[in-house]
Amino acid sequence: MAVPLRIDDHRRDSAGFTYVYPVVSRRAGGVSIGINFNPNNACNWRCIYCQVPGLRRGAAPPLDHARLRHELEAMLDSIVHGDFYRRFQVPASHRRICDVAISGNGEPTTLKDFGAAIDTVLTTLADYPLLGLARVIISNGSRIHHPAVQRGLARWGRAGGVLWFKLDRATSAGIARVNQVRLSPRQILDRLEQAAGLCPVWIQTCWFALDGHPPPPQERQAYLELLAQAKRRGLPLEGVLLYGLARPSQQPQASRLSRLPAEILEELAAAIRRCGWPVKVTP
Protein backbone atom coordinates (compact mmCIF):
# COMPACT_ATOMS: atom_id res chain seq x y z
CA MET A 1 0.00 0.00 0.00
CA ALA A 2 1.27 3.47 -0.90
CA VAL A 3 -0.91 6.59 -0.96
CA PRO A 4 0.39 9.53 -3.06
CA LEU A 5 1.83 12.17 -0.73
CA ARG A 6 0.47 15.72 -0.77
CA ILE A 7 1.18 18.79 1.34
CA ASP A 8 -2.52 19.10 2.23
CA ASP A 9 -2.96 15.44 3.28
CA HIS A 10 -0.98 14.08 6.24
CA ARG A 11 -2.88 10.82 6.72
CA ARG A 12 -1.21 8.37 9.11
CA ASP A 13 -2.01 5.25 7.05
CA SER A 14 -0.26 6.31 3.84
CA ALA A 15 2.20 3.39 4.07
CA GLY A 16 -0.21 0.85 5.56
CA PHE A 17 1.73 0.78 8.84
CA THR A 18 0.58 1.20 12.45
CA TYR A 19 3.25 3.59 13.70
CA VAL A 20 5.28 4.96 10.77
CA TYR A 21 4.02 7.22 7.99
CA PRO A 22 5.63 9.59 5.44
CA VAL A 23 4.30 13.08 4.72
CA VAL A 24 5.28 15.94 2.44
CA SER A 25 6.03 18.75 4.88
CA ARG A 26 5.67 22.37 3.77
CA ARG A 27 7.65 23.51 6.81
CA ALA A 28 10.53 21.09 6.22
CA GLY A 29 10.47 21.57 2.45
CA GLY A 30 10.63 17.82 1.80
CA VAL A 31 9.54 14.46 3.17
CA SER A 32 9.17 13.92 6.91
CA ILE A 33 8.98 10.41 8.34
CA GLY A 34 6.31 10.54 11.04
CA ILE A 35 6.08 8.26 14.06
CA ASN A 36 2.66 7.90 15.66
CA PHE A 37 2.58 6.70 19.27
CA ASN A 38 -1.19 7.42 19.37
CA PRO A 39 -2.84 5.19 16.74
CA ASN A 40 -5.95 5.20 18.96
CA ASN A 41 -6.51 8.91 18.13
CA ALA A 42 -6.31 9.81 21.83
CA CYS A 43 -4.83 13.02 23.21
CA ASN A 44 -4.92 14.80 26.56
CA TRP A 45 -5.61 18.10 24.73
CA ARG A 46 -8.28 18.82 22.12
CA CYS A 47 -7.02 21.69 19.97
CA ILE A 48 -9.77 23.12 17.81
CA TYR A 49 -7.55 23.13 14.68
CA CYS A 50 -6.50 19.47 15.07
CA GLN A 51 -6.63 17.47 11.83
CA VAL A 52 -7.12 14.09 13.54
CA PRO A 53 -10.55 12.60 12.76
CA GLY A 54 -12.34 10.95 15.66
CA LEU A 55 -10.07 12.62 18.20
CA ARG A 56 -10.87 11.68 21.79
CA ARG A 57 -9.50 12.44 25.23
CA GLY A 58 -7.05 9.86 26.51
CA ALA A 59 -3.50 8.54 26.39
CA ALA A 60 -1.36 6.51 24.01
CA PRO A 61 -1.95 2.74 24.10
CA PRO A 62 0.82 0.20 24.87
CA LEU A 63 3.51 0.27 22.19
CA ASP A 64 4.66 -2.77 20.19
CA HIS A 65 8.38 -1.96 20.08
CA ALA A 66 9.22 -4.79 17.66
CA ARG A 67 6.58 -3.57 15.19
CA LEU A 68 7.78 0.03 15.51
CA ARG A 69 11.35 -0.99 14.76
CA HIS A 70 10.30 -3.19 11.83
CA GLU A 71 8.16 -0.44 10.29
CA LEU A 72 10.82 2.23 10.68
CA GLU A 73 13.46 -0.07 9.19
CA ALA A 74 11.17 -0.90 6.26
CA MET A 75 10.51 2.78 5.58
CA LEU A 76 14.18 3.77 5.77
CA ASP A 77 15.23 0.78 3.62
CA SER A 78 12.74 1.84 0.94
CA ILE A 79 14.28 5.31 0.95
CA VAL A 80 17.88 4.09 0.80
CA HIS A 81 17.53 1.03 -1.41
CA GLY A 82 14.03 1.10 -2.90
CA ASP A 83 11.68 3.18 -5.06
CA PHE A 84 10.17 5.30 -2.28
CA TYR A 85 9.73 8.51 -4.30
CA ARG A 86 8.08 6.73 -7.24
CA ARG A 87 5.76 4.58 -5.13
CA PHE A 88 4.50 7.55 -3.11
CA GLN A 89 4.47 9.90 -6.12
CA VAL A 90 6.41 12.55 -4.21
CA PRO A 91 6.45 15.89 -6.06
CA ALA A 92 9.85 16.55 -7.65
CA SER A 93 10.20 19.76 -5.63
CA HIS A 94 10.08 17.80 -2.35
CA ARG A 95 12.18 14.74 -3.17
CA ARG A 96 14.44 14.85 -0.16
CA ILE A 97 14.13 13.26 3.27
CA CYS A 98 14.34 15.95 5.94
CA ASP A 99 13.58 14.48 9.33
CA VAL A 100 12.01 11.89 11.56
CA ALA A 101 9.21 13.47 13.61
CA ILE A 102 7.51 11.87 16.60
CA SER A 103 4.08 13.41 16.24
CA GLY A 104 1.00 11.51 15.16
CA ASN A 105 -2.58 11.45 16.39
CA GLY A 106 -2.15 12.62 19.98
CA GLU A 107 0.31 13.72 22.64
CA PRO A 108 3.29 11.31 22.33
CA THR A 109 4.49 11.79 25.90
CA THR A 110 1.31 10.15 27.24
CA LEU A 111 2.93 6.83 26.27
CA LYS A 112 3.75 5.06 29.55
CA ASP A 113 7.12 3.76 28.37
CA PHE A 114 8.01 6.93 26.46
CA GLY A 115 11.69 6.66 27.41
CA ALA A 116 11.95 3.10 26.08
CA ALA A 117 10.19 4.16 22.87
CA ILE A 118 12.77 6.89 22.35
CA ASP A 119 15.49 4.25 22.72
CA THR A 120 13.79 2.09 20.09
CA VAL A 121 13.63 4.97 17.62
CA LEU A 122 17.20 6.11 18.20
CA THR A 123 18.77 2.64 18.01
CA THR A 124 16.95 2.06 14.71
CA LEU A 125 18.09 5.40 13.29
CA ALA A 126 21.66 4.57 14.29
CA ASP A 127 21.69 1.93 11.54
CA TYR A 128 21.11 4.66 8.89
CA PRO A 129 23.71 7.34 9.70
CA LEU A 130 24.24 8.42 6.11
CA LEU A 131 20.70 9.79 5.86
CA GLY A 132 21.63 12.54 8.32
CA LEU A 133 18.02 13.00 9.39
CA ALA A 134 16.98 15.76 11.76
CA ARG A 135 15.04 14.50 14.79
CA VAL A 136 11.92 16.21 16.09
CA ILE A 137 9.39 15.54 18.85
CA ILE A 138 6.18 17.59 18.68
CA SER A 139 4.60 17.94 22.12
CA ASN A 140 2.30 20.13 24.19
CA GLY A 141 4.71 19.83 27.13
CA SER A 142 1.94 18.72 29.50
CA ARG A 143 3.86 15.74 30.94
CA ILE A 144 7.29 17.31 31.18
CA HIS A 145 7.33 16.70 34.95
CA HIS A 146 7.19 12.90 34.59
CA PRO A 147 10.57 11.16 35.09
CA ALA A 148 10.10 8.80 32.11
CA VAL A 149 9.38 11.76 29.85
CA GLN A 150 12.37 13.67 31.16
CA ARG A 151 14.65 10.68 30.59
CA GLY A 152 13.37 10.29 27.05
CA LEU A 153 13.77 13.97 26.18
CA ALA A 154 17.27 14.09 27.67
CA ARG A 155 18.25 11.04 25.59
CA TRP A 156 16.69 12.67 22.52
CA GLY A 157 18.65 15.86 23.14
CA ARG A 158 21.95 14.02 23.56
CA ALA A 159 21.30 12.36 20.20
CA GLY A 160 20.90 15.74 18.49
CA GLY A 161 17.11 15.83 18.61
CA VAL A 162 14.88 18.85 19.25
CA LEU A 163 11.48 19.41 20.85
CA TRP A 164 8.78 21.52 19.23
CA PHE A 165 6.78 22.82 22.19
CA LYS A 166 3.19 23.85 21.46
CA LEU A 167 2.28 27.40 22.54
CA ASP A 168 -0.69 28.75 20.63
CA ARG A 169 -2.07 31.32 23.09
CA ALA A 170 -0.80 32.92 26.29
CA THR A 171 -3.87 33.78 28.35
CA SER A 172 -5.82 31.23 30.34
CA ALA A 173 -8.96 32.10 28.36
CA GLY A 174 -7.16 31.83 25.02
CA ILE A 175 -5.62 28.48 25.92
CA ALA A 176 -9.01 27.16 27.02
CA ARG A 177 -10.57 28.36 23.78
CA VAL A 178 -7.92 27.01 21.38
CA ASN A 179 -6.39 24.00 23.18
CA GLN A 180 -9.39 23.22 25.42
CA VAL A 181 -7.36 22.73 28.60
CA ARG A 182 -7.00 24.68 31.84
CA LEU A 183 -3.52 26.13 31.92
CA SER A 184 -1.95 29.39 33.08
CA PRO A 185 0.87 31.34 31.41
CA ARG A 186 2.99 30.71 34.52
CA GLN A 187 2.60 26.95 34.07
CA ILE A 188 3.65 27.26 30.43
CA LEU A 189 6.81 29.15 31.37
CA ASP A 190 7.69 26.61 34.04
CA ARG A 191 7.22 23.74 31.59
CA LEU A 192 9.25 25.53 28.94
CA GLU A 193 12.07 25.99 31.43
CA GLN A 194 12.03 22.30 32.33
CA ALA A 195 11.98 21.25 28.70
CA ALA A 196 14.82 23.56 27.68
CA GLY A 197 16.98 22.01 30.39
CA LEU A 198 16.56 18.61 28.76
CA CYS A 199 16.94 19.21 25.02
CA PRO A 200 16.87 22.04 22.46
CA VAL A 201 13.39 23.59 22.24
CA TRP A 202 11.54 25.50 19.54
CA ILE A 203 8.21 27.09 20.42
CA GLN A 204 5.54 26.07 17.90
CA THR A 205 2.63 28.48 17.41
CA CYS A 206 -0.45 28.18 15.19
CA TRP A 207 -2.05 31.58 14.43
CA PHE A 208 -5.43 31.64 12.68
CA ALA A 209 -8.73 33.47 12.46
CA LEU A 210 -11.71 32.41 14.57
CA ASP A 211 -15.15 33.44 13.31
CA GLY A 212 -13.38 35.60 10.73
CA HIS A 213 -11.32 37.53 13.30
CA PRO A 214 -7.59 37.27 14.06
CA PRO A 215 -6.50 36.75 17.68
CA PRO A 216 -7.45 39.93 19.61
CA PRO A 217 -4.80 42.50 20.56
CA GLN A 218 -4.77 41.40 24.21
CA GLU A 219 -3.98 37.83 23.15
CA ARG A 220 -1.16 39.00 20.91
CA GLN A 221 0.25 41.18 23.69
CA ALA A 222 0.08 38.35 26.25
CA TYR A 223 1.89 36.04 23.83
CA LEU A 224 4.68 38.57 23.28
CA GLU A 225 4.93 39.23 27.02
CA LEU A 226 5.38 35.51 27.70
CA LEU A 227 8.22 35.43 25.15
CA ALA A 228 9.75 38.49 26.80
CA GLN A 229 9.54 36.77 30.20
CA ALA A 230 11.25 33.71 28.75
CA LYS A 231 14.06 35.96 27.56
CA ARG A 232 14.34 37.64 30.98
CA ARG A 233 14.51 34.23 32.65
CA GLY A 234 17.35 33.31 30.34
CA LEU A 235 15.60 30.28 28.85
CA PRO A 236 17.91 28.77 26.19
CA LEU A 237 15.20 28.44 23.54
CA GLU A 238 16.07 28.03 19.86
CA GLY A 239 13.31 30.35 18.66
CA VAL A 240 9.73 30.29 17.38
CA LEU A 241 8.08 28.31 14.57
CA LEU A 242 5.08 30.43 13.56
CA TYR A 243 2.64 28.90 11.12
CA GLY A 244 -0.90 29.18 9.80
CA LEU A 245 -3.56 26.62 8.93
CA ALA A 246 -2.60 24.23 6.15
CA ARG A 247 -5.16 21.44 6.34
CA PRO A 248 -8.81 21.41 7.41
CA SER A 249 -9.61 20.83 11.06
CA GLN A 250 -11.54 17.66 11.87
CA GLN A 251 -13.01 19.11 15.08
CA PRO A 252 -16.53 20.50 15.66
CA GLN A 253 -15.21 24.09 15.41
CA ALA A 254 -13.79 23.53 11.89
CA SER A 255 -16.27 25.85 10.15
CA ARG A 256 -15.25 28.71 12.45
CA LEU A 257 -11.56 28.58 11.52
CA SER A 258 -9.81 30.23 8.58
CA ARG A 259 -6.32 31.14 7.45
CA LEU A 260 -4.84 34.55 8.15
CA PRO A 261 -3.13 36.68 5.49
CA ALA A 262 0.62 36.19 5.40
CA GLU A 263 1.10 39.86 6.33
CA ILE A 264 -0.46 39.30 9.76
CA LEU A 265 1.91 36.42 10.47
CA GLU A 266 4.86 38.51 9.30
CA GLU A 267 3.82 41.38 11.58
CA LEU A 268 3.74 39.02 14.56
CA ALA A 269 7.08 37.54 13.49
CA ALA A 270 8.65 41.01 13.49
CA ALA A 271 7.36 41.61 17.03
CA ILE A 272 8.76 38.24 18.14
CA ARG A 273 12.16 39.19 16.76
CA ARG A 274 12.01 42.42 18.73
CA CYS A 275 11.61 40.23 21.83
CA GLY A 276 14.99 38.76 20.94
CA TRP A 277 13.95 35.42 19.43
CA PRO A 278 14.62 33.98 15.97
CA VAL A 279 11.43 33.06 14.15
CA LYS A 280 10.56 30.96 11.10
CA VAL A 281 7.25 31.71 9.40
CA THR A 282 5.15 29.23 7.38
CA PRO A 283 1.89 30.90 6.28
Side-chain angles (χ1 to χ4, degrees):
M1 176 181 176
V3 175
L5 302 185
R6 306 197 319 262
I7 287 176
D8 61 351
D9 185 357
H10 281 195
R11 65 178 64 188
R12 312 308 193 205
D13 61 351
S14 56
F17 290 158
T18 299
Y19 299 116
V20 177
Y21 61 98
V23 298
V24 174
S25 170
R26 66 192 180 119
R27 278 178 282 175
V31 174
S32 176
I33 303 304
I35 297 177
N36 182 16
F37 290 167
N38 303 70
N40 60 346
N41 296 1
C43 188
N44 60 350
W45 287 21
R46 196 180 181 92
C47 302
I48 62 176
Y49 57 82
C50 183
Q51 296 114 22
V52 175
L55 182 69
R56 63 183 182 85
R57 297 275 188 178
L63 181 74
D64 184 336
H65 290 262
R67 178 183 287 273
L68 171 59
R69 182 177 180 89
H70 169 74
E71 291 183 357
L72 187 53
E73 286 176 339
M75 181 63 63
L76 296 174
D77 280 342
S78 74
I79 293 167
V80 175
H81 304 296
D83 59 349
F84 173 86
Y85 293 113
R86 182 190 64 79
R87 282 197 307 120
F88 287 94
Q89 301 177 38
V90 178
S93 58
H94 286 74
R95 290 197 170 191
R96 68 187 190 97
I97 306 297
C98 300
D99 59 44
V100 167
I102 298 175
S103 176
N105 289 5
E107 173 53 38
T109 62
T110 60
L111 181 66
K112 285 188 177 179
D113 58 345
F114 177 79
I118 294 299
D119 287 338
T120 297
V121 172
L122 291 177
T123 55
T124 305
L125 291 178
D127 293 334
Y128 300 86
L130 294 180
L131 286 176
L133 298 174
R135 300 162 183 190
V136 177
I137 294 174
I138 302 175
S139 171
N140 58 34
S142 59
R143 291 176 56 83
I144 197 70
H145 55 289
H146 286 264
V149 174
Q150 294 181 355
R151 286 194 298 271
L153 290 179
R155 171 96 162 86
W156 191 251
R158 290 193 299 271
V162 301
L163 172 68
W164 290 3
F165 187 108
K166 184 186 297 293
L167 170 58
D168 295 318
R169 301 295 181 268
T171 68
S172 295
I175 296 164
R177 185 178 307 113
V178 171
N179 307 120
Q180 300 196 77
V181 290
R182 292 183 178 180
L183 189 62
S184 71
R186 173 64 181 272
Q187 288 173 298
I188 293 175
L189 270 174
D190 290 344
R191 291 174 179 180
L192 268 174
E193 188 165 21
Q194 283 185 293
L198 297 167
C199 71
V201 172
W202 283 87
I203 289 175
Q204 183 191 43
T205 298
C206 186
W207 214 242
F208 54 88
L210 182 63
D211 297 325
H213 302 290
Q218 61 268 31
E219 196 66 57
R220 182 179 185 273
Q221 185 55 42
Y223 177 84
L224 293 172
E225 175 55 27
L226 190 148
L227 293 182
Q229 288 184 50
K231 179 63 70 173
R232 291 194 292 270
R233 279 199 191 188
L235 271 58
L237 305 176
E238 302 297 306
V240 177
L241 304 172
L242 177 62
Y243 65 104
L245 297 177
R247 298 173 300 282
S249 167
Q250 297 297 318
Q251 307 315 309
Q253 300 87 348
S255 63
R256 301 175 59 196
L257 312 184
S258 58
R259 299 183 67 178
L260 289 170
E263 309 85 75
I264 291 181
L265 293 181
E266 291 294 346
E267 288 173 2
L268 179 59
I272 293 170
R273 293 186 184 102
R274 289 194 291 272
C275 290
W277 297 111
V279 58
K280 301 177 182 179
V281 183
T282 309

